Amino acid sequence: MKYILLCICLFSLLGCGTDTKTQQDTKPTTTANGQAKTNQGQDAHVMAAKQALSAGDYAKAIEEASASIKDNPNNAEAYSIHGFAMALSGDTAKGLVDTKKSYDLDPNNVANYYNMAMVYKLQGQLNESKQWFEKVLEKDPNNTWSVYGIATIYADQGNDSKALDWLEKAITIDPSVKAVAAEQDHFERFHNNTRFKTLVGL
């Protein structure tokens, strides 16, 4: 339960909260060799990797992202997906290497900021994780799950007041956060806290 957020954050790979693209931007085109790609350079392997990751099939996501990297060693998005899937599979060290590589290739990919935050979180490097969540919020102040991610970090660090302040911000942006917070281990010890109960409706 502690990392139910990991399931939610998969939407970041689709640009959730940071996507300003239009339908025209993502319309598939065909390259000279006939391989379907979008205007962002997303090849068929990247799309398959995203779908596998969203379905919780990390091995498939790694396989597809690896194939994309083999075709294009400079595909920042493929490295981000590969790294996140590796981290979710238990290899957080490799996950961090890949998400950092993605950042080196494309420092403006906000979805990768989120993935880096989550990889650091899985490693237990909470301060580093919080810094990357904050980087997301610099670009997208209403990114619900980055706000919520910071709330969980403060909760894990024992800073109850800040945890509840950030949780309230997340709920204000998206009330569906209530149900997540009510069930997550991060906030289990808060269940007798009056303010927490009011926030999540317990």
Side-chain angles (χ1 to χ4, degrees):
M1 290 300 297
K2 188 170 185 178
Y3 289 105
I4 190 173
L5 178 59
L6 293 172
C7 297
I8 296 164
C9 72
L10 298 179
F11 293 115
S12 72
L13 296 171
L14 303 177
C16 181
T18 61
D19 193 354
T20 58
K21 305 177 185 70
T22 65
Q23 273 191 320
Q24 182 61 36
D25 291 329
T26 57
K27 183 178 179 181
T29 59
T30 303
T31 61
N33 63 6
Q35 184 179 32
K37 291 190 176 185
T38 69
N39 292 343
Q40 294 86 32
Q42 294 176 343
D43 59 28
H45 290 302
V46 167
M47 299 305 293
K50 285 184 178 183
Q51 292 170 359
L53 195 56
S54 295
D57 188 347
Y58 307 141
K60 179 68 171 175
I62 291 167
E63 176 186 342
E64 294 290 350
S66 296
S68 180
I69 291 168
K70 183 178 179 180
D71 290 342
N72 178 9
N74 294 318
N75 190 326
E77 188 173 25
Y79 273 105
S80 184
I81 296 169
H82 191 275
F84 195 30
M86 290 295 296
L88 289 169
S89 297
D91 192 345
T92 56
K94 175 60 174 170
L96 192 56
V97 168
D98 286 345
T99 51
K100 284 183 174 180
K101 175 70 172 179
S102 176
Y103 179 76
D104 289 340
L105 291 169
D106 182 5
N108 297 312
N109 181 1
V110 179
N112 187 56
Y113 297 178
Y114 187 97
N115 294 346
M116 288 185 74
M118 291 305 302
V119 174
Y120 274 120
K121 201 167 191 290
L122 283 168
Q123 285 195 326
Q125 299 187 57
L126 300 184
N127 288 330
E128 290 81 359
S129 176
K130 184 164 72 71
Q131 288 173 5
W132 283 99
F133 281 134
E134 288 169 346
K135 286 181 180 294
V136 175
L137 295 176
E138 287 174 7
K139 302 289 187 181
D140 178 11
N142 290 321
N143 189 287
T144 305
W145 300 109
S146 292
V147 174
Y148 181 75
I150 292 174
T152 66
I153 287 172
Y154 279 126
D156 291 346
Q157 291 177 329
N159 192 331
D160 294 7
S161 178
K162 284 193 173 181
L164 292 173
D165 287 345
W166 282 87
L167 177 60
E168 184 172 4
K169 289 180 184 178
I171 291 171
T172 299
I173 297 168
D174 183 353
S176 71
V177 171
K178 293 180 182 181
V180 177
E183 296 181 0
Q184 266 205 310
D185 292 351
H186 296 290
F187 294 105
E188 186 174 2
R189 64 183 177 82
F190 288 74
H191 284 199
N192 291 322
N193 180 293
T194 301
R195 184 181 175 195
F196 177 80
K197 291 166 69 174
T198 299
L199 284 173
V200 303
L202 286 180

